[in-house]
Amino acid sequence: MISVEQALEQILSHVDVLEEKEVPILDCLGQVLAEDTYSSINVPPLDNSAMDGYAVQSTDTQGASRQSPRFLRVIDTVAAGYISRYEVELGTAIRIMTGAPVPKGADCIVRFEDTDETLREKASTEIGISAELKASTNIRRAGEDITKGAKILSKGTVIRPAEIGVLASLGHSRARVIRRPVVAILATGDELVDVNQPLPEGKIYNSNTYSVAALVLRYGAIPKILGIALDNEGSVVAGLRQGLDADMLITIGGVSMGNYDVVKDVLAKEGKIAFWTVRMKPGKPLAFGTIKGTSKTGTARDIPHLGFPGNPVSSMVSFELFARPAIFKMMGKKNLAKPTIEAVIENAIMNRDGRRIFARAIVEQRGGQYFARLTGAQGSGILTSMSLANGLVIVPEDKAGVEAGDVVQVIMLDWNEEMVQFKNIRQEV
Ligand code: AMP
Ligand code: MG
């Protein structure tokens, strides 16, 4: 049996960064930028006003105060998006709105609050200035955000909403990114029935296809659902054939020791098995190998195949530990690990068979410290224990267990914004 680290290392050694693709900027959220991005414009393009107020010459404000305002002649009004035809000279002012280009001649903007505008008629041709301003006050300089010619985003950047905004501010409608992997998902099991069907006696609904497909989506890849295969080689092979154009194949179930667990046999015949057990709980029977497929251009290639155990918790935990990093590597990401924190565990957990335990837990912060408590029964078929959890407590394989009060490592599945919700659900239970 190999360790979690060895398993991950082998899986990662079989996946490569995918090709680049140009996509509309809104489609590339969470993807990795494939090229350095330079700006061909200044942002903002012109000096403009940071305030609603009056564009004036700062020398005209010298000595101005509430008690003795300086009175200037208003010669124009300019809104954002327009350029005044007039020039500000000594003794004059142009009424200006936030974002409007600073008129010629003006070197500062007096905000409305520092004038007597509220005391005047709307169309007054005079304004009283009641504050002394230095040159440049309330002016946003051309190029102060982005300078023409500068490198703005580096290759390798993970695109977040802010980067999409930056791309838009440069006028780009598309970006070159590493494309999203397609992950084909095949459920196996004579007992499985798809959602929305009547449930005959002895059967269960196929939940794993959906939890795994949702994880694929959550981490930025594209699920390709291959449906349900029966517990025989022919059916599994036929199912897998539908996914040979994918970047990764995931089968669910059929990898344990039972008579009908045929996925390993299929993997051995149709490809190569790298390993099939990992020293972890849940998820010990986890097969990995490669299956021969074809690329879009028709050339032969090996597709990484992850054979998850069928228990609903096992397949989700296996996904987080192994499929997620592999998907991230294909997407060109560098940080493959989920965040891990230290927390005080509030339950004892026994480790009887020397495997690394990933226990479902609720992590909460109290008084500047994290606390983790188990979500209840830890059987790998109890999917609701996963739904209640926001973290996985790690019990190392070389420890006989942990005691309440021990400090443990916890892999965070979700962070704070969702934690409130977990707490509420927990209280209702
Ligand atoms: P297996 O790994 O095929 O031996 O399955 C282990 C357990 O997980 C069995 O109780 C299966 O019925 C259950 N199981 C397998 N696949 C699924 C699935 N797609 N959805 C829900 N439960 C499943
Ligand atoms: Mg099965």
Side-chain angles (χ1 to χ4, degrees):
M1 232 184 327
I2 61 175
S3 69
V4 170
E5 284 76 20
Q6 287 167 327
L8 181 59
E9 199 181 309
Q10 286 212 40
I11 293 167
L12 292 179
S13 74
H14 282 88
V15 299
D16 289 315
V17 181
L18 299 176
E19 316 85 66
E20 300 168 11
K21 188 179 178 187
E22 198 185 279
V23 296
I25 52 173
L26 251 193
D27 292 353
C28 64
L29 186 62
Q31 285 180 278
V32 169
L33 199 60
E35 62 185 3
D36 291 337
T37 302
Y38 295 84
S39 177
S40 59
I41 56 170
N42 277 322
V43 182
L46 298 172
D47 291 353
N48 68 90
S49 178
M51 292 283 178
D52 292 332
Y54 286 84
V56 303
Q57 294 197 356
S58 52
T59 45
D60 262 342
T61 70
Q62 298 315 302
S65 67
R66 267 193 207 283
Q67 291 71 35
S68 69
R70 299 295 298 266
F71 295 102
L72 303 176
R73 190 160 57 85
V74 180
I75 56 172
D76 195 16
T77 292
V78 59
Y82 299 92
I83 292 185
S84 175
R85 289 180 285 119
Y86 298 92
E87 188 170 335
V88 173
E89 291 167 348
L90 278 177
T92 67
I94 291 179
R95 199 161 175 270
I96 190 166
M97 305 305 137
T98 304
V102 176
K104 276 204 203 93
D107 67 1
C108 68
I109 311 292
V110 188
R111 32 177 216 151
F112 284 157
E113 295 87 327
D114 293 327
T115 71
D116 60 3
E117 188 179 83
T118 50
L119 309 173
R120 291 177 179 271
E121 301 273 303
K122 258 209 163 129
S124 173
T125 55
E126 192 189 52
I127 190 70
I129 308 292
S130 52
E132 203 176 275
L133 264 62
K134 292 202 184 72
S136 291
T137 304
N138 296 329
I139 291 180
R140 302 190 289 215
R141 290 295 170 200
E144 79 174 16
D145 186 5
I146 294 172
T147 317
K148 184 175 172 174
K151 191 208 276 188
I152 306 306
L153 295 173
S154 298
K155 179 179 171 165
T157 301
V158 178
I159 296 180
R160 303 168 304 163
E163 281 71 36
I164 291 181
V166 168
L167 288 164
S169 73
L170 303 179
H172 294 197
S173 66
R174 302 172 75 82
R176 273 196 94 69
V177 292
I178 312 291
R179 74 169 172 86
R180 299 180 188 277
V182 175
V183 180
I185 303 162
L186 180 67
T188 72
D190 288 359
E191 75 279 31
L192 300 179
V193 171
D194 207 354
V195 293
N196 231 349
Q197 301 291 317
L199 192 64
E201 204 178 15
K203 310 284 178 184
I204 59 168
Y205 282 120
N206 168 20
S207 61
N208 291 350
T209 289
Y210 296 95
S211 52
V212 168
L215 286 165
V216 168
L217 279 174
R218 173 182 227 182
Y219 294 127
I222 303 163
K224 178 173 180 176
I225 292 177
L226 303 180
I228 300 168
L230 298 175
D231 285 317
N232 64 68
E233 280 186 37
S235 182
V236 172
V237 169
L240 284 177
R241 293 244 155 94
Q242 306 303 309
L244 294 184
D245 56 349
D247 301 295
M248 177 189 276
L249 290 165
I250 290 179
T251 53
I252 299 159
V255 283
S256 3
M257 295 302 184
N259 290 351
Y260 302 100
D261 291 325
V262 297
V263 167
K264 262 184 298 175
D265 302 335
V266 169
L267 194 48
K269 281 185 193 154
E270 302 283 313
K272 260 193 261 145
I273 297 192
F275 60 80
W276 64 85
T277 41
V278 181
R279 189 173 296 125
M280 61 187 273
K281 186 180 178 175
K284 177 171 111 181
L286 180 120
F288 176 71
T290 53
I291 293 223
K292 292 219 175 313
T294 43
S295 69
K296 284 201 184 74
T297 54
T299 49
R301 72 196 170 109
D302 290 334
I303 310 171
H305 172 189
L306 280 157
F308 290 159
N311 274 311
V313 175
S314 312
S315 52
M316 288 194 77
V317 170
S318 306
F319 189 101
E320 296 279 9
L321 295 179
F322 302 112
R324 178 183 180 275
I327 287 170
F328 274 17
K329 183 175 176 189
M330 286 193 262
M331 293 179 79
K333 298 194 181 193
K334 294 282 180 284
N335 184 4
L336 306 183
K338 276 210 93 120
T340 299
I341 55 153
E342 282 191 341
V344 176
I345 180 84
E346 296 184 329
N347 315 73
I349 308 173
M350 304 277 279
N351 190 2
R352 291 198 181 81
D353 48 5
R355 289 189 269 158
R356 189 175 308 174
I357 296 177
F358 296 94
R360 280 84 75 197
I362 299 164
V363 177
E364 276 171 355
Q365 200 178 27
R366 275 180 257 133
Q369 179 147 39
Y370 290 113
F371 292 87
R373 67 178 185 298
L374 299 184
T375 57
Q378 294 287 312
S380 53
I382 315 268
L383 188 53
T384 49
S385 70
M386 195 70 183
S387 167
L388 291 173
N390 61 353
L392 295 173
V393 167
I394 301 175
V395 181
E397 51 269 51
D398 56 3
K399 270 189 148 183
V402 294
E403 299 295 330
D406 283 357
V407 172
V408 292
Q409 299 284 317
V410 188
I411 300 175
M412 291 307 294
L413 299 173
D414 297 284
W415 272 102
N416 298 1
E417 59 193 275
E418 283 120 304
M419 275 153 105
V420 178
Q421 180 203 337
F422 287 106
K423 211 165 155 184
N424 292 341
I425 294 171
R426 191 65 196 163
Q427 277 159 1
E428 283 163 22
V429 173

